[in-house]
Amino acid sequence: MKNHISGNEQTITGVLLLNLGGPEKAEDVEPFLYNLFSDRRIIRLGPFFLQKFIARRIARKRAPTSRANYEKIGGGSPILAITAKQAAALENLLNLSGSRRYKVVPCMRYWSPFAAESIAGLMAAGITRLIALPLYPHYSAATTGSSLIDLDNALKKIKKPPLLTTIRSWPTQPGYITALSKRITNGMARLHNEPVELVYSAHSLPKQYIDDGDPYVDEIKQTIAALEDQTGVRGHLCYQSRSGPVKWLQPSTPDMLRKLADQGCKSILMVPISFVSDHVETLYEIDILYQGMARDLGMCLKSTPGLNNDPLFIEGLKELIVQQK
């Protein structure tokens, strides 16, 4: 959905950086998991009227293990702190030039700050226009789609909501591709003493979404094609972070590690391709769980660092914003 207003030096454009969110301390973990599993756009748990009941049971059951995982990365998710740094860097860059003024804030789906909080803060700052920028490069109904629906619901409760522009996805945005390419090139150089297999690990998704026409996998493949054009390095795509009794995208990251080990691979560079901010999936799953698994299989696994507030990446986000007329 896109609306337009004439810009002038006095107007302020609000930018929402849409992201998943995460528990910041141990007591946040169970309610965060409940929020996550309550969303039928992520996973359907029985009939509609039982979704929240089942979500509460799953959250209670999984909370102890999840808390232990967060303890291994400092006790909570850093995703809000990182998104806040991305917002500050992007706002500064946007306001360095041009007649428009911008205010950029995080907006999380399953933990604070929720859409209503973020919008209220922007409106208090006097914004007249709103741009929603998902920090998911690849569109899925379960991520960007769910966040945009949540945002729309929050805006409907405002008597005079700001005009809204939404950015759907950006799988081949040049700044994003260049920042990732440099990480791959640098990572391969660090492992130059022996053959290295490049592995792209993306967040998994129930296979039903793809069967229903979700473009997530196609857009990930667009990103990989753009990266391989720049780096000249071919890689393997796999999927991590699956949960729940449904069919998920294949191959899983653990299955890919086992396959490469069976083929005699000794060194892996893993690229978290669908994550632009470090959180539990990169800091625990990749850097602890999968590194340990690879070591047990006789391999060395290294990962590329998160994009976070890399200036090249922030420049790419800026370009996405200024293109919205």
Side-chain angles (χ1 to χ4, degrees):
M1 176 172 65
K2 184 177 289 188
N3 297 311
H4 304 277
I5 63 169
S6 58
N8 60 61
E9 293 185 358
Q10 302 306 313
T11 63
I12 303 175
T13 297
V15 178
L16 293 172
L17 296 185
L18 306 181
N19 214 331
L20 184 81
E24 296 181 69
K25 50 189 183 300
E27 54 265 40
D28 297 340
V29 171
E30 186 172 329
F32 167 76
L33 292 175
Y34 169 74
N35 291 341
L36 188 71
F37 287 112
S38 292
D39 186 357
R40 287 180 74 79
R41 287 174 289 274
I42 281 194
I43 187 169
R44 295 176 182 176
L45 301 172
F48 177 81
F49 66 91
L50 286 178
Q51 179 86 20
K52 291 189 176 181
F53 172 76
I54 298 172
R56 193 169 297 283
R57 293 184 63 182
I58 292 175
R60 188 176 299 117
K61 181 178 180 180
R62 295 195 176 191
T65 299
S66 188
R67 283 192 201 98
N69 293 342
Y70 280 108
E71 281 299 318
K72 293 172 184 174
I73 63 168
S77 173
I79 195 166
L80 177 57
I82 291 171
T83 308
K85 289 179 181 179
Q86 291 168 327
L90 178 57
E91 181 178 309
N92 181 63
L93 196 58
L94 285 165
N95 288 327
L96 282 177
S97 60
S99 59
R100 294 181 183 272
R101 293 176 56 207
Y102 292 88
K103 178 72 174 174
V104 186
V105 299
C107 179
M108 301 303 185
R109 179 63 184 91
Y110 301 109
W111 203 245
S112 182
F114 298 105
E117 302 171 60
S118 298
I119 295 168
L122 289 175
M123 293 192 70
I127 67 155
T128 54
R129 181 191 181 195
L130 188 61
I131 298 176
L133 172 55
L135 290 179
Y136 308 107
H138 318 100
Y139 180 90
S140 172
T143 52
T144 301
S146 180
S147 289
L148 292 178
I149 290 172
D150 186 54
L151 175 58
D152 188 57
N153 289 336
L155 288 170
K156 286 177 180 176
K157 297 176 182 178
I158 299 173
K159 187 174 182 180
K160 292 184 178 180
L163 300 173
L164 174 68
T165 299
T166 61
I167 297 170
R168 180 179 170 89
S169 63
W170 35 277
T172 58
Q173 202 290 319
Y176 164 59
I177 296 299
T178 301
L180 271 182
S181 293
K182 288 196 170 185
R183 279 160 167 70
I184 292 169
T185 301
N186 291 340
M188 298 295 284
R190 291 198 309 270
L191 298 168
H192 69 280
N193 290 329
E194 55 184 302
V196 181
E197 292 293 337
L198 184 67
V199 174
Y200 299 104
S201 190
H203 200 292
S204 196
L205 193 69
K207 185 176 177 295
Q208 187 63 48
Y209 282 89
I210 308 305
D211 295 341
D212 291 342
D214 198 292
Y216 179 69
V217 173
D218 286 341
E219 293 193 357
I220 286 176
K221 290 179 178 178
Q222 290 174 32
T223 297
I224 291 173
L227 288 171
E228 292 181 347
D229 281 346
Q230 282 200 16
T231 65
V233 181
R234 300 287 179 182
H236 310 270
L237 174 60
C238 55
Y239 302 92
Q240 67 181 89
S241 311
R242 60 186 186 182
S243 60
V246 296
K247 291 184 178 179
W248 292 79
L249 295 175
Q250 296 287 346
S252 70
T253 301
D255 286 347
M256 178 59 70
L257 294 181
R258 285 187 282 267
K259 177 183 175 181
L260 291 174
D262 289 343
Q263 293 175 351
C265 173
K266 294 299 181 183
S267 188
I268 290 173
L269 179 66
M270 186 166 285
V271 182
I273 194 170
S274 60
F275 309 107
V276 301
S277 311
D278 277 320
H279 54 310
V280 70
E281 279 85 356
T282 60
L283 300 176
Y284 169 68
E285 282 191 37
I286 293 178
D287 290 346
I288 297 176
L289 183 63
Y290 297 148
Q291 274 195 14
M293 181 180 179
R295 187 166 53 249
D296 292 343
L297 290 167
M299 300 183 293
C300 171
L301 186 152
K302 301 293 183 181
S303 63
T304 57
L307 294 177
N308 297 329
N309 59 340
D310 181 309
L312 274 174
F313 174 57
I314 300 300
E315 177 67 32
L317 297 184
K318 186 203 85 169
E319 290 302 316
L320 287 169
I321 296 299
V322 299
Q323 287 166 9
Q324 310 307 310
K325 303 300 183 182

